[in-house]
Amino acid sequence: MFENISPLTADPILGLMAEFRNDKREKKIDLGVGVYRDDHGNTPIMRAVKEAEKQKLTIESTKSYIGPNGSERYNELIQNMTLGSNHVVIKDRRIATIQTPGGCGALKIGAELIKKVKGNSTVWVSSPTWANHIPLLGGAGLKINDYHYYCPVTKRINKSKMFETLEKASDGDIILVHGCCHNPSGVDLDEEDWKNLTELLARKNLLPFIDLAYQGLGDGLEEDVTGIRKLLSIIPEALVACSYSKNFGLYRERTGGLHVILSSADITNAVSGQLGSIARGIYSMPPAHGAFLVEQILDDGCLKSIWTGELNEMRGRISNLRMKLATELSEATNLDFNFIMNQKGMFSFLGISKEQIDILKNKHAIYMVDSSRINVAGLNSNNLDFFVQGVKAVV
Ligand code: LMR
């Protein structure tokens, strides 16, 4: 039965991770996969998470099933984290939330829900977008189109082209929007763009599907969702896929959630039931550990303040690295890399060719994704100069 299966080319991000692991050179830099690293190059467990884990050992009293929709309290807490507890959507009870295995689980459940409701839907994704959006959404049978986003010349959003392509979307189409820290470009919508997007979505009756994987790593926990919150106070229906891999450092614990915002509270229970049934048909129930920790942290003032402090440190480190990198690269190469300072979150495109990327990997042991996306958080005081010299040698 399986003898004719052909091998696949490796996933662009996970394949690079494996290549890096197998590279025996002593001095090497991994700027591939989007994982936060500290100045020693480690991805430590956050202090608040460690503390919550200790508490879990004493508090947890059962390993019995939790149900397809996960923990009710967790779902409530992440609704507040995304929308703010005073948001009209929460007050009106027009939101159904399901705990999911990471942000990918949330995207998948969202895609399956859309398919269930309207099987021939088209989803518009930014060009470029995170590589895994395509299999996650397309795999559910949704049609994928793209809209203009990043301009490699200006290193900004090509706004006129973006809105021009979005005008082509048809009534009922879905628009996938990166909530903050756009992956892979680091270029985010500003206040005006969120306003214009909201107007367009309302006028054309389009459904926003927001991927929120980096809340707190752009400008701040609240600041990063200002545009989303305003949009959701106007647009009646939407999906928001949340990941807690990055901001809680829970990557391997697969911790996320999907919010479905509805036009009426009358259908909240029905939608919750549908979400649970989709999950039941894929993985039955979400893993409990990561969500337990997030719940514990968000529900405890002391743990929450330790966590926000750590998150602020991470964001500050990335922003300092961006300044340093932009300055040092510009000085060393006589080229303008100052755009790196203005971008947000972990990623930026360096804007170099595939050939230069290959030389950096093969000759200098510097790894980045083929698109020239770098994970800025992979740099530190020990490797920044090595990286700058490597780039200088190839540009
Ligand atoms: C990334 O973009 O590198 C991360 O989101 C990790 C992943 O799963 O691709």
Side-chain angles (χ1 to χ4, degrees), residues 155 326 329-331 333-341 350:
K155 321 282 188 204
L329 267 184
S330 303
E331 268 173 26
T333 61
N334 277 328
L335 297 168
D336 184 5
F337 282 97
N338 286 325
F339 61 88
I340 294 174
M341 285 188 204
L350 218 50

Side-chain angles (χ1 to χ4, degrees), residues 13 32-34 130 183 214 246 347 373:
I13 295 171
V33 69
W130 178 47
N183 179 4
Y214 296 89
K246 276 69 177 191
F347 308 115
R373 186 195 84 169

